[in-house]
Amino acid sequence: MTTFAELGLSPNILKALEKTKLQQPTPIQAQAIPHIMQGRDLMGLAQTGTGKTAAFGLPLLHRILDLGHPPGPKNVRALILVPTRELATQIIDNFRQFTAGTAVKIVLVVGGASVNKQAQSLVKGADVLVATPGRLIDHIEQGNVSLEKCGYLVLDEADHMLDMGFIHSLRRIAKHIPLRRQTLMFSATMPKDITEIADTYLRDPVKVQVAPPGKPAEKVTQGVHFIPNGDKARLLEEYLKKHPGEQALVFCRTKHGADKLAKVLDQWGFKVGAIHGNRSQNQRDRILAEFKGEALDVLVATDVAARGIDIPTVRHVYNHDMPNVPENYVHRIGRTARAGAEGSSISFCAPAEMSELQAIEKLLKKALPVIGGAPWAADVVAAAPRPGQNRGQKPGNGGRQGQKLTKNPRPAAAAGAPGGKPAGKPGGARPQGQKPRPQGGAQAPRRAPRPKSGG
Ligand code: ADP
Ligand code: MG
């Protein structure tokens, strides 16, 4: 087994690592670090939670320490571009640990924080600049920063960067960086666009891949529970109560839905917070810190807000709504079982979400075990409103239409799944009886053939 010392990292970094939980390189670290230290461009492909931050961070910092002089005014030595503010903060936290006791200067430039303060911290230059694209462009245009001497470019979570439409911003930023540079790109999934980005921005890259793209963390027990939208909140409550004292991350499709669900769970006595794009940066930071400090049991989030953030204590991920981009499923469940721990991930699938489920199973190249309910019949699927169609409605109502038209929705009694009536609006009076009962037995086979997609 390789050690960090054997990888040839600088003694300063090795000393800083002693005080962290990073005692031995993970596979992506062991494979990527030597190439990066040699100055090669690199494309790193590894599932979430495998330690990609240190895989690029350690060798990059090693090379910067080697230079041993502060950058000139407004100059940046290394630029790390990330899609979200949370991810940027997390990288900064990691880098500060890795460089404890050194003079390396790290600056953060993200939206939702004071432009002037950021400009101030750029005046004397930065060894490492961690930035989200939009705000960085503002600073470039205002002349607060120069990338003329930038020798390193890292694109982290590149696939997500594309999802969020940053390709145009990336092009604008890259124009300012010399072509003689080292470029590193990391991604958990490898859609076709990513190959194009790699071809455009990387020169003769080494490709390092530790697990096939789209393969979720090994130790996550996955399953799907077929349930109408209207019953999802109560089903979630049942699952949460089954694992007291274990933290859960719950994904919702919309900001509005996330807020509603968090409110309901709060009324039901859970310590819950919600993060999404409508929250100020301060609110997001505070809620995330509370969750990490285990003052909250449940964090409700949208994909954008939660992508890439590292919360090692999360044991359970619930997809209250199925992700509409299958790659996001991999990212979501990558939030649990980080760094080798065990975790579970349960997806709630309403009739209108069958096609999302099928897309996920296609990506995973396997069916998710059914742990409650049964796959929705084709007629139910066809009658269900597509996600988005039921917008202005209360989250509790989404499943009604599909439910009404259900002839034989699922062998509910046999499956021990929640009763046939929708629970009504979450937060309203809770009907007696008909309590959803999460099923164990994650390995249960499918009970009905998968109907064709209705949309
Ligand atoms: P990724 O970017 O691949 O999703 P991160 O870099 O965020 O993964 O790391 C995931 C978690 O694993 C973090 O909590 C990090 O501190 C931890 N970690 C990373 N490298 C190691 C290591 N070599 N040994 C132990 N824990 C590690
Ligand atoms: Mg990462």
Side-chain angles (χ1 to χ4, degrees):
M1 190 82 201
T2 331
T3 63
F4 284 116
E6 281 164 6
L7 293 172
L9 290 166
S10 118
N12 282 323
I13 291 178
L14 293 176
K15 201 163 150 225
L17 283 181
E18 280 172 18
K19 297 208 181 81
T20 72
K21 62 183 169 185
L22 279 67
Q23 295 307 315
Q24 262 193 345
T26 63
I28 185 87
Q29 290 161 6
Q31 287 184 49
I33 290 174
H35 295 298
I36 301 174
M37 300 236 300
Q38 282 166 18
R40 291 288 303 270
D41 280 9
L42 181 135
M43 163 84 226
L45 206 56
Q47 63 206 55
T48 8
T50 51
K52 293 191 286 296
T53 314
F56 64 78
L58 296 175
L60 192 68
L61 292 165
H62 168 92
R63 285 174 71 87
I64 285 169
L65 278 176
D66 263 5
L67 295 175
H69 55 79
K74 295 189 182 178
N75 279 318
V76 168
R77 258 200 196 114
L79 171 63
I80 300 175
L81 273 183
V82 295
T84 65
R85 300 176 276 195
E86 277 79 9
L87 196 52
T89 318
Q90 197 168 290
I91 290 176
I92 293 262
D93 291 346
N94 274 266
F95 274 39
R96 296 235 156 97
Q97 284 182 17
F98 302 157
T99 54
T102 75
V104 170
K105 188 177 169 198
I106 305 166
V107 172
L108 174 69
V109 154
V110 292
S114 154
V115 177
N116 284 343
K117 271 193 203 153
Q118 290 172 1
Q120 279 285 307
S121 56
L122 287 165
V123 167
K124 288 186 181 156
D127 286 303
V128 178
L129 177 62
V130 183
T132 49
R135 181 56 68 87
L136 176 59
I137 289 174
D138 293 345
H139 282 292
I140 294 173
E141 284 174 353
Q142 292 175 24
N144 298 333
V145 66
S146 161
L147 299 177
E148 255 167 52
K149 303 226 165 91
C150 181
Y152 304 92
L153 171 64
V154 180
L155 307 173
D156 193 20
E157 301 260 352
D159 46 356
H160 191 34
M161 204 113 86
L162 287 183
D163 293 349
M164 293 178 68
F166 283 145
I167 183 90
H168 181 63
S169 308
L170 177 60
R171 215 174 286 137
R172 281 175 70 184
I173 293 166
K175 273 198 317 219
H176 296 272
I177 309 175
L179 285 175
R180 280 182 60 89
R181 61 165 191 250
Q182 184 176 11
T183 310
L184 312 172
M185 186 160 114
F186 287 83
S187 187
T189 55
M190 188 80 187
K192 204 163 73 216
D193 300 358
I194 293 289
T195 320
E196 282 170 31
I197 299 268
D199 291 345
T200 310
Y201 295 103
L202 276 63
R203 238 182 342 172
D204 183 26
V206 186
K207 195 170 158 194
V208 169
Q209 182 174 353
V210 299
K215 197 175 173 207
E218 293 296 340
K219 290 186 178 168
V220 185
T221 312
Q222 300 174 64
V224 58
H225 197 126
F226 295 95
I227 177 105
N229 279 328
D231 291 347
K232 284 180 172 180
R234 301 219 302 121
L235 180 64
L236 178 63
E237 180 200 16
E238 290 291 315
Y239 276 115
L240 292 173
K241 282 186 170 168
K242 269 184 94 178
H243 303 281
E246 295 179 1
Q247 283 190 302
L249 181 57
V250 181
F251 283 96
C252 286
R253 196 169 46 81
T254 64
K255 299 165 193 171
H256 183 67
D259 274 339
K260 283 266 172 186
L261 182 64
K263 209 170 146 194
V264 166
L265 292 174
D266 179 63
Q267 284 168 359
W268 292 352
F270 292 96
K271 286 183 277 175
V272 57
I275 56 167
H276 52 66
N278 279 0
R279 289 280 156 94
S280 74
Q281 190 58 31
N282 277 346
Q283 285 174 319
R284 285 158 75 165
D285 288 347
R286 181 177 49 76
I287 291 165
L288 209 53
E290 282 175 8
F291 190 64
K292 284 186 179 179
E294 302 187 37
L296 297 177
D297 298 325
V298 185
L299 183 65
V300 184
T302 55
D303 285 302
V304 167
R307 182 73 167 269
I309 57 175
D310 177 38
I311 311 167
T313 47
V314 170
R315 288 286 301 281
H316 306 276
V317 169
Y318 297 101
N319 293 319
H320 180 274
D321 305 312
M322 302 296 280
N324 42 13
V325 182
E327 279 82 11
N328 278 351
Y329 178 82
V330 179
H331 287 288
R332 287 179 177 190
I333 78 165
R335 305 294 101 224
T336 183
R338 310 273 289 173
E342 306 233 338
S344 87
S345 162
I346 295 169
S347 302
F348 297 173
C349 183
E353 295 173 313
M354 287 301 280
S355 55
E356 279 82 359
L357 176 64
Q358 282 159 353
I360 291 162
E361 295 185 332
K362 199 171 152 208
L363 178 73
L364 300 177
K365 296 197 177 72
K366 66 169 190 186
L368 293 180
V370 178
I371 56 177
W376 301 103
D379 56 341
V380 181
V381 172
R386 297 291 306 147
Q389 266 176 271
N390 53 356
R391 248 175 214 173
Q393 285 185 29
K394 299 256 170 7
N397 290 351
R400 281 213 177 144
Q401 189 177 340
Q403 188 68 16
K404 251 188 238 160
L405 294 165
T406 301
K407 280 180 195 138
N408 180 17
R410 58 219 143 114
K421 281 190 197 143
K425 288 174 202 172
R430 290 163 62 190
Q432 292 303 303
Q434 309 239 7
K435 274 221 151 192
R437 214 166 306 283
Q439 286 289 292
Q443 297 316 316
R446 271 191 198 293
R447 276 173 285 267
R450 179 54 59 75
K452 276 240 175 329
S453 159

